[in-house]
Amino acid sequence: MKLLICLLVLLALLFFLILLLVLRRLYHLHLECLRLQMVLAQQDDYRTQALTDVLTGLPNRRSLRNLLSALSGSGRPVCAVTLDLNGLKEINDLQGHVAGDHLLRQMAQCLRHACPSNVHAFRVGGDEFVLIGADLSRDQSKRFVEHLRSQLSHAGLDAALGWTWGTADALENLHGLLTESDRQMYFQKRRIHRRFSWASGQSADQARSV
């Protein structure tokens, strides 16, 4: 009888020891899973930071390149819009970079509000923004650009804008669309600058004649 009790005690101790080892192993596996989750979360954060403009929260130039590569060769209709925020340098010089940063965030918020789900907005540097719309016809693109101009005006934002439409037959085509929308945007910007310079010169002449 005593021998049986001793065997039962030994079996209970052995079972308890095995249980402790299993629980310890499960605990270490849990810690390892938590560590891997943290590493993956950090990698996602790094990936997001690499593709996102920190100031505005919009996708950045690298993200734009990724989208163009994804669209390349698809033959899908694409609308490209290039915007340049007017007056940012003057605001930075006169009111400081905090005011300039606020203006850039306003611009980003306006673009988010104006863009439907198939149009993506990017800040590509400084005061320049690019919008890429996929699966829009030429007429739909034109209506979107008119809507965008209305939204910018309503928000009190002054921006030179150029746009073009084509198909994503190859990456070169997409770069060509961006080059053309850039050209139109800078043409508009130069025209506004010449008009402002002419008006300023006329005001100076009037002041001298008084």
PDB file of all heavy atoms in Angstrom, residues 102-131:
ATOM      1  N   HIS A 102       1.070  74.984 -42.115  1.00  0.00           N
ATOM      2  CA  HIS A 102      -0.389  74.959 -41.963  1.00  0.00           C
ATOM      3  C   HIS A 102      -1.071  75.046 -43.334  1.00  0.00           C
ATOM      4  O   HIS A 102      -2.062  74.349 -43.593  1.00  0.00           O
ATOM      5  CB  HIS A 102      -0.843  76.106 -41.075  1.00  0.00           C
ATOM      6  CG  HIS A 102      -2.328  76.187 -40.902  1.00  0.00           C
ATOM      7  ND1 HIS A 102      -3.051  75.243 -40.202  1.00  0.00           N
ATOM      8  CD2 HIS A 102      -3.242  77.095 -41.369  1.00  0.00           C
ATOM      9  CE1 HIS A 102      -4.339  75.566 -40.233  1.00  0.00           C
ATOM     10  NE2 HIS A 102      -4.477  76.681 -40.926  1.00  0.00           N
ATOM     11  N   LEU A 103      -0.522  75.881 -44.207  1.00  0.00           N
ATOM     12  CA  LEU A 103      -1.084  76.009 -45.555  1.00  0.00           C
ATOM     13  C   LEU A 103      -0.957  74.698 -46.327  1.00  0.00           C
ATOM     14  O   LEU A 103      -1.889  74.286 -47.040  1.00  0.00           O
ATOM     15  CB  LEU A 103      -0.380  77.144 -46.300  1.00  0.00           C
ATOM     16  CG  LEU A 103      -0.902  77.460 -47.703  1.00  0.00           C
ATOM     17  CD1 LEU A 103      -2.339  77.982 -47.631  1.00  0.00           C
ATOM     18  CD2 LEU A 103      -0.007  78.489 -48.394  1.00  0.00           C
ATOM     19  N   LEU A 104       0.177  74.028 -46.199  1.00  0.00           N
ATOM     20  CA  LEU A 104       0.366  72.747 -46.882  1.00  0.00           C
ATOM     21  C   LEU A 104      -0.615  71.691 -46.367  1.00  0.00           C
ATOM     22  O   LEU A 104      -1.148  70.897 -47.141  1.00  0.00           O
ATOM     23  CB  LEU A 104       1.808  72.261 -46.691  1.00  0.00           C
ATOM     24  CG  LEU A 104       2.871  73.023 -47.483  1.00  0.00           C
ATOM     25  CD1 LEU A 104       4.268  72.663 -46.995  1.00  0.00           C
ATOM     26  CD2 LEU A 104       2.744  72.748 -48.974  1.00  0.00           C
ATOM     27  N   ARG A 105      -0.856  71.688 -45.064  1.00  0.00           N
ATOM     28  CA  ARG A 105      -1.832  70.741 -44.513  1.00  0.00           C
ATOM     29  C   ARG A 105      -3.244  71.066 -45.003  1.00  0.00           C
ATOM     30  O   ARG A 105      -4.042  70.153 -45.255  1.00  0.00           O
ATOM     31  CB  ARG A 105      -1.781  70.770 -42.980  1.00  0.00           C
ATOM     32  CG  ARG A 105      -0.484  70.219 -42.390  1.00  0.00           C
ATOM     33  CD  ARG A 105      -0.612  70.029 -40.889  1.00  0.00           C
ATOM     34  NE  ARG A 105       0.674  69.694 -40.283  1.00  0.00           N
ATOM     35  CZ  ARG A 105       1.463  70.567 -39.689  1.00  0.00           C
ATOM     36  NH1 ARG A 105       1.100  71.851 -39.608  1.00  0.00           N
ATOM     37  NH2 ARG A 105       2.608  70.189 -39.163  1.00  0.00           N
ATOM     38  N   GLN A 106      -3.548  72.360 -45.119  1.00  0.00           N
ATOM     39  CA  GLN A 106      -4.852  72.749 -45.670  1.00  0.00           C
ATOM     40  C   GLN A 106      -4.997  72.229 -47.098  1.00  0.00           C
ATOM     41  O   GLN A 106      -6.063  71.728 -47.479  1.00  0.00           O
ATOM     42  CB  GLN A 106      -4.974  74.278 -45.666  1.00  0.00           C
ATOM     43  CG  GLN A 106      -5.425  74.885 -44.369  1.00  0.00           C
ATOM     44  CD  GLN A 106      -5.672  76.373 -44.530  1.00  0.00           C
ATOM     45  OE1 GLN A 106      -4.773  77.142 -44.868  1.00  0.00           O
ATOM     46  NE2 GLN A 106      -6.907  76.786 -44.318  1.00  0.00           N
ATOM     47  N   MET A 107      -3.932  72.365 -47.866  1.00  0.00           N
ATOM     48  CA  MET A 107      -3.960  71.886 -49.250  1.00  0.00           C
ATOM     49  C   MET A 107      -4.192  70.371 -49.288  1.00  0.00           C
ATOM     50  O   MET A 107      -5.018  69.879 -50.066  1.00  0.00           O
ATOM     51  CB  MET A 107      -2.630  72.236 -49.922  1.00  0.00           C
ATOM     52  CG  MET A 107      -2.526  71.817 -51.375  1.00  0.00           C
ATOM     53  SD  MET A 107      -3.621  72.788 -52.428  1.00  0.00           S
ATOM     54  CE  MET A 107      -2.958  72.361 -54.048  1.00  0.00           C
ATOM     55  N   ALA A 108      -3.482  69.650 -48.441  1.00  0.00           N
ATOM     56  CA  ALA A 108      -3.638  68.192 -48.404  1.00  0.00           C
ATOM     57  C   ALA A 108      -5.059  67.801 -48.018  1.00  0.00           C
ATOM     58  O   ALA A 108      -5.647  66.890 -48.612  1.00  0.00           O
ATOM     59  CB  ALA A 108      -2.636  67.591 -47.418  1.00  0.00           C
ATOM     60  N   GLN A 109      -5.623  68.489 -47.044  1.00  0.00           N
ATOM     61  CA  GLN A 109      -6.985  68.188 -46.617  1.00  0.00           C
ATOM     62  C   GLN A 109      -7.985  68.475 -47.726  1.00  0.00           C
ATOM     63  O   GLN A 109      -8.934  67.717 -47.937  1.00  0.00           O
ATOM     64  CB  GLN A 109      -7.326  69.006 -45.367  1.00  0.00           C
ATOM     65  CG  GLN A 109      -8.692  68.702 -44.763  1.00  0.00           C
ATOM     66  CD  GLN A 109      -8.836  67.253 -44.332  1.00  0.00           C
ATOM     67  OE1 GLN A 109      -7.859  66.603 -43.949  1.00  0.00           O
ATOM     68  NE2 GLN A 109     -10.048  66.743 -44.403  1.00  0.00           N
ATOM     69  N   CYS A 110      -7.775  69.557 -48.439  1.00  0.00           N
ATOM     70  CA  CYS A 110      -8.664  69.900 -49.555  1.00  0.00           C
ATOM     71  C   CYS A 110      -8.599  68.829 -50.644  1.00  0.00           C
ATOM     72  O   CYS A 110      -9.627  68.428 -51.191  1.00  0.00           O
ATOM     73  CB  CYS A 110      -8.275  71.266 -50.123  1.00  0.00           C
ATOM     74  SG  CYS A 110      -9.312  71.805 -51.511  1.00  0.00           S
ATOM     75  N   LEU A 111      -7.400  68.343 -50.942  1.00  0.00           N
ATOM     76  CA  LEU A 111      -7.245  67.314 -51.970  1.00  0.00           C
ATOM     77  C   LEU A 111      -7.918  66.009 -51.537  1.00  0.00           C
ATOM     78  O   LEU A 111      -8.563  65.336 -52.342  1.00  0.00           O
ATOM     79  CB  LEU A 111      -5.767  67.076 -52.262  1.00  0.00           C
ATOM     80  CG  LEU A 111      -5.008  68.253 -52.885  1.00  0.00           C
ATOM     81  CD1 LEU A 111      -3.547  67.893 -53.120  1.00  0.00           C
ATOM     82  CD2 LEU A 111      -5.657  68.711 -54.183  1.00  0.00           C
ATOM     83  N   ARG A 112      -7.766  65.646 -50.274  1.00  0.00           N
ATOM     84  CA  ARG A 112      -8.440  64.435 -49.785  1.00  0.00           C
ATOM     85  C   ARG A 112      -9.954  64.556 -49.948  1.00  0.00           C
ATOM     86  O   ARG A 112     -10.625  63.596 -50.336  1.00  0.00           O
ATOM     87  CB  ARG A 112      -8.108  64.208 -48.307  1.00  0.00           C
ATOM     88  CG  ARG A 112      -6.693  63.758 -48.023  1.00  0.00           C
ATOM     89  CD  ARG A 112      -6.566  63.311 -46.571  1.00  0.00           C
ATOM     90  NE  ARG A 112      -5.169  63.153 -46.194  1.00  0.00           N
ATOM     91  CZ  ARG A 112      -4.455  64.084 -45.587  1.00  0.00           C
ATOM     92  NH1 ARG A 112      -5.020  65.242 -45.279  1.00  0.00           N
ATOM     93  NH2 ARG A 112      -3.193  63.864 -45.280  1.00  0.00           N
ATOM     94  N   HIS A 113     -10.472  65.731 -49.627  1.00  0.00           N
ATOM     95  CA  HIS A 113     -11.917  65.942 -49.700  1.00  0.00           C
ATOM     96  C   HIS A 113     -12.406  65.939 -51.151  1.00  0.00           C
ATOM     97  O   HIS A 113     -13.513  65.479 -51.436  1.00  0.00           O
ATOM     98  CB  HIS A 113     -12.264  67.272 -49.025  1.00  0.00           C
ATOM     99  CG  HIS A 113     -13.730  67.576 -49.020  1.00  0.00           C
ATOM    100  ND1 HIS A 113     -14.636  66.907 -48.219  1.00  0.00           N
ATOM    101  CD2 HIS A 113     -14.460  68.480 -49.736  1.00  0.00           C
ATOM    102  CE1 HIS A 113     -15.849  67.380 -48.441  1.00  0.00           C
ATOM    103  NE2 HIS A 113     -15.779  68.328 -49.344  1.00  0.00           N
ATOM    104  N   ALA A 114     -11.572  66.448 -52.057  1.00  0.00           N
ATOM    105  CA  ALA A 114     -11.994  66.602 -53.449  1.00  0.00           C
ATOM    106  C   ALA A 114     -11.865  65.322 -54.255  1.00  0.00           C
ATOM    107  O   ALA A 114     -12.570  65.144 -55.259  1.00  0.00           O
ATOM    108  CB  ALA A 114     -11.189  67.714 -54.118  1.00  0.00           C
ATOM    109  N   CYS A 115     -10.969  64.415 -53.846  1.00  0.00           N
ATOM    110  CA  CYS A 115     -10.658  63.245 -54.670  1.00  0.00           C
ATOM    111  C   CYS A 115     -11.596  62.077 -54.379  1.00  0.00           C
ATOM    112  O   CYS A 115     -11.753  61.681 -53.219  1.00  0.00           O
ATOM    113  CB  CYS A 115      -9.220  62.792 -54.424  1.00  0.00           C
ATOM    114  SG  CYS A 115      -7.972  63.944 -55.028  1.00  0.00           S
ATOM    115  N   PRO A 116     -12.195  61.497 -55.409  1.00  0.00           N
ATOM    116  CA  PRO A 116     -12.948  60.250 -55.229  1.00  0.00           C
ATOM    117  C   PRO A 116     -11.990  59.090 -54.973  1.00  0.00           C
ATOM    118  O   PRO A 116     -10.761  59.263 -55.000  1.00  0.00           O
ATOM    119  CB  PRO A 116     -13.688  60.091 -56.560  1.00  0.00           C
ATOM    120  CG  PRO A 116     -12.844  60.833 -57.546  1.00  0.00           C
ATOM    121  CD  PRO A 116     -12.226  61.969 -56.809  1.00  0.00           C
ATOM    122  N   SER A 117     -12.535  57.918 -54.757  1.00  0.00           N
ATOM    123  CA  SER A 117     -11.704  56.781 -54.343  1.00  0.00           C
ATOM    124  C   SER A 117     -10.705  56.342 -55.409  1.00  0.00           C
ATOM    125  O   SER A 117      -9.677  55.742 -55.075  1.00  0.00           O
ATOM    126  CB  SER A 117     -12.607  55.599 -53.964  1.00  0.00           C
ATOM    127  OG  SER A 117     -13.424  55.221 -55.062  1.00  0.00           O
ATOM    128  N   ASN A 118     -10.987  56.631 -56.676  1.00  0.00           N
ATOM    129  CA  ASN A 118     -10.071  56.201 -57.738  1.00  0.00           C
ATOM    130  C   ASN A 118      -9.095  57.294 -58.160  1.00  0.00           C
ATOM    131  O   ASN A 118      -8.416  57.171 -59.186  1.00  0.00           O
ATOM    132  CB  ASN A 118     -10.853  55.704 -58.957  1.00  0.00           C
ATOM    133  CG  ASN A 118     -11.783  56.760 -59.526  1.00  0.00           C
ATOM    134  OD1 ASN A 118     -12.196  57.683 -58.821  1.00  0.00           O
ATOM    135  ND2 ASN A 118     -12.124  56.628 -60.791  1.00  0.00           N
ATOM    136  N   VAL A 119      -9.026  58.379 -57.393  1.00  0.00           N
ATOM    137  CA  VAL A 119      -8.036  59.434 -57.635  1.00  0.00           C
ATOM    138  C   VAL A 119      -7.150  59.546 -56.401  1.00  0.00           C
ATOM    139  O   VAL A 119      -7.639  59.700 -55.276  1.00  0.00           O
ATOM    140  CB  VAL A 119      -8.704  60.796 -57.930  1.00  0.00           C
ATOM    141  CG1 VAL A 119      -7.647  61.870 -58.130  1.00  0.00           C
ATOM    142  CG2 VAL A 119      -9.605  60.696 -59.158  1.00  0.00           C
ATOM    143  N   HIS A 120      -5.845  59.448 -56.603  1.00  0.00           N
ATOM    144  CA  HIS A 120      -4.891  59.445 -55.496  1.00  0.00           C
ATOM    145  C   HIS A 120      -4.057  60.723 -55.539  1.00  0.00           C
ATOM    146  O   HIS A 120      -3.543  61.116 -56.592  1.00  0.00           O
ATOM    147  CB  HIS A 120      -3.980  58.223 -55.592  1.00  0.00           C
ATOM    148  CG  HIS A 120      -4.733  56.925 -55.625  1.00  0.00           C
ATOM    149  ND1 HIS A 120      -5.182  56.292 -54.495  1.00  0.00           N
ATOM    150  CD2 HIS A 120      -5.140  56.166 -56.675  1.00  0.00           C
ATOM    151  CE1 HIS A 120      -5.815  55.185 -54.823  1.00  0.00           C
ATOM    152  NE2 HIS A 120      -5.810  55.086 -56.147  1.00  0.00           N
ATOM    153  N   ALA A 121      -3.909  61.363 -54.376  1.00  0.00           N
ATOM    154  CA  ALA A 121      -3.155  62.612 -54.264  1.00  0.00           C
ATOM    155  C   ALA A 121      -1.793  62.329 -53.629  1.00  0.00           C
ATOM    156  O   ALA A 121      -1.682  61.542 -52.690  1.00  0.00           O
ATOM    157  CB  ALA A 121      -3.930  63.625 -53.430  1.00  0.00           C
ATOM    158  N   PHE A 122      -0.768  62.998 -54.134  1.00  0.00           N
ATOM    159  CA  PHE A 122       0.601  62.830 -53.647  1.00  0.00           C
ATOM    160  C   PHE A 122       1.234  64.204 -53.435  1.00  0.00           C
ATOM    161  O   PHE A 122       1.002  65.123 -54.227  1.00  0.00           O
ATOM    162  CB  PHE A 122       1.464  62.061 -54.662  1.00  0.00           C
ATOM    163  CG  PHE A 122       0.908  60.726 -55.059  1.00  0.00           C
ATOM    164  CD1 PHE A 122      -0.054  60.641 -56.058  1.00  0.00           C
ATOM    165  CD2 PHE A 122       1.323  59.567 -54.443  1.00  0.00           C
ATOM    166  CE1 PHE A 122      -0.583  59.417 -56.444  1.00  0.00           C
ATOM    167  CE2 PHE A 122       0.799  58.340 -54.819  1.00  0.00           C
ATOM    168  CZ  PHE A 122      -0.151  58.261 -55.822  1.00  0.00           C
ATOM    169  N   ARG A 123       2.007  64.333 -52.385  1.00  0.00           N
ATOM    170  CA  ARG A 123       2.884  65.507 -52.266  1.00  0.00           C
ATOM    171  C   ARG A 123       4.267  65.056 -52.710  1.00  0.00           C
ATOM    172  O   ARG A 123       4.885  64.188 -52.106  1.00  0.00           O
ATOM    173  CB  ARG A 123       2.950  66.024 -50.834  1.00  0.00           C
ATOM    174  CG  ARG A 123       3.790  67.308 -50.743  1.00  0.00           C
ATOM    175  CD  ARG A 123       4.038  67.749 -49.323  1.00  0.00           C
ATOM    176  NE  ARG A 123       4.902  68.921 -49.299  1.00  0.00           N
ATOM    177  CZ  ARG A 123       5.685  69.244 -48.289  1.00  0.00           C
ATOM    178  NH1 ARG A 123       5.715  68.480 -47.192  1.00  0.00           N
ATOM    179  NH2 ARG A 123       6.438  70.325 -48.343  1.00  0.00           N
ATOM    180  N   VAL A 124       4.752  65.671 -53.777  1.00  0.00           N
ATOM    181  CA  VAL A 124       5.999  65.211 -54.379  1.00  0.00           C
ATOM    182  C   VAL A 124       7.170  66.102 -54.006  1.00  0.00           C
ATOM    183  O   VAL A 124       8.288  65.882 -54.476  1.00  0.00           O
ATOM    184  CB  VAL A 124       5.866  65.098 -55.919  1.00  0.00           C
ATOM    185  CG1 VAL A 124       4.865  64.024 -56.278  1.00  0.00           C
ATOM    186  CG2 VAL A 124       5.470  66.436 -56.536  1.00  0.00           C
ATOM    187  N   GLY A 125       6.926  67.116 -53.178  1.00  0.00           N
ATOM    188  CA  GLY A 125       8.028  67.945 -52.703  1.00  0.00           C
ATOM    189  C   GLY A 125       7.680  69.414 -52.697  1.00  0.00           C
ATOM    190  O   GLY A 125       7.005  69.901 -53.604  1.00  0.00           O
ATOM    191  N   GLY A 126       8.129  70.119 -51.650  1.00  0.00           N
ATOM    192  CA  GLY A 126       7.910  71.551 -51.590  1.00  0.00           C
ATOM    193  C   GLY A 126       6.441  71.911 -51.666  1.00  0.00           C
ATOM    194  O   GLY A 126       5.630  71.467 -50.859  1.00  0.00           O
ATOM    195  N   ASP A 127       6.112  72.725 -52.661  1.00  0.00           N
ATOM    196  CA  ASP A 127       4.718  73.154 -52.841  1.00  0.00           C
ATOM    197  C   ASP A 127       4.042  72.428 -53.990  1.00  0.00           C
ATOM    198  O   ASP A 127       3.024  72.881 -54.502  1.00  0.00           O
ATOM    199  CB  ASP A 127       4.672  74.671 -53.082  1.00  0.00           C
ATOM    200  CG  ASP A 127       5.583  75.109 -54.221  1.00  0.00           C
ATOM    201  OD1 ASP A 127       6.183  74.228 -54.885  1.00  0.00           O
ATOM    202  OD2 ASP A 127       5.718  76.326 -54.447  1.00  0.00           O
ATOM    203  N   GLU A 128       4.586  71.292 -54.412  1.00  0.00           N
ATOM    204  CA  GLU A 128       4.078  70.573 -55.584  1.00  0.00           C
ATOM    205  C   GLU A 128       3.300  69.311 -55.172  1.00  0.00           C
ATOM    206  O   GLU A 128       3.729  68.551 -54.317  1.00  0.00           O
ATOM    207  CB  GLU A 128       5.227  70.190 -56.515  1.00  0.00           C
ATOM    208  CG  GLU A 128       5.931  71.393 -57.129  1.00  0.00           C
ATOM    209  CD  GLU A 128       6.983  70.982 -58.132  1.00  0.00           C
ATOM    210  OE1 GLU A 128       6.987  69.803 -58.551  1.00  0.00           O
ATOM    211  OE2 GLU A 128       7.800  71.830 -58.501  1.00  0.00           O
ATOM    212  N   PHE A 129       2.174  69.134 -55.842  1.00  0.00           N
ATOM    213  CA  PHE A 129       1.302  67.984 -55.612  1.00  0.00           C
ATOM    214  C   PHE A 129       0.945  67.359 -56.952  1.00  0.00           C
ATOM    215  O   PHE A 129       0.846  68.053 -57.968  1.00  0.00           O
ATOM    216  CB  PHE A 129       0.027  68.406 -54.885  1.00  0.00           C
ATOM    217  CG  PHE A 129       0.256  68.990 -53.513  1.00  0.00           C
ATOM    218  CD1 PHE A 129       0.628  70.314 -53.363  1.00  0.00           C
ATOM    219  CD2 PHE A 129       0.097  68.207 -52.381  1.00  0.00           C
ATOM    220  CE1 PHE A 129       0.837  70.860 -52.101  1.00  0.00           C
ATOM    221  CE2 PHE A 129       0.306  68.739 -51.120  1.00  0.00           C
ATOM    222  CZ  PHE A 129       0.677  70.070 -50.978  1.00  0.00           C
ATOM    223  N   VAL A 130       0.727  66.049 -56.936  1.00  0.00           N
ATOM    224  CA  VAL A 130       0.321  65.318 -58.142  1.00  0.00           C
ATOM    225  C   VAL A 130      -0.897  64.474 -57.799  1.00  0.00           C
ATOM    226  O   VAL A 130      -0.960  63.859 -56.739  1.00  0.00           O
ATOM    227  CB  VAL A 130       1.460  64.428 -58.673  1.00  0.00           C
ATOM    228  CG1 VAL A 130       0.955  63.460 -59.734  1.00  0.00           C
ATOM    229  CG2 VAL A 130       2.586  65.279 -59.246  1.00  0.00           C
ATOM    230  N   LEU A 131      -1.859  64.450 -58.712  1.00  0.00           N
ATOM    231  CA  LEU A 131      -3.043  63.602 -58.581  1.00  0.00           C
ATOM    232  C   LEU A 131      -3.076  62.638 -59.765  1.00  0.00           C
ATOM    233  O   LEU A 131      -2.878  63.057 -60.914  1.00  0.00           O
ATOM    234  CB  LEU A 131      -4.319  64.432 -58.568  1.00  0.00           C
ATOM    235  CG  LEU A 131      -4.781  65.053 -57.245  1.00  0.00           C
ATOM    236  CD1 LEU A 131      -3.727  65.989 -56.677  1.00  0.00           C
ATOM    237  CD2 LEU A 131      -6.073  65.818 -57.431  1.00  0.00           C
TER     238      LEU A 131
END
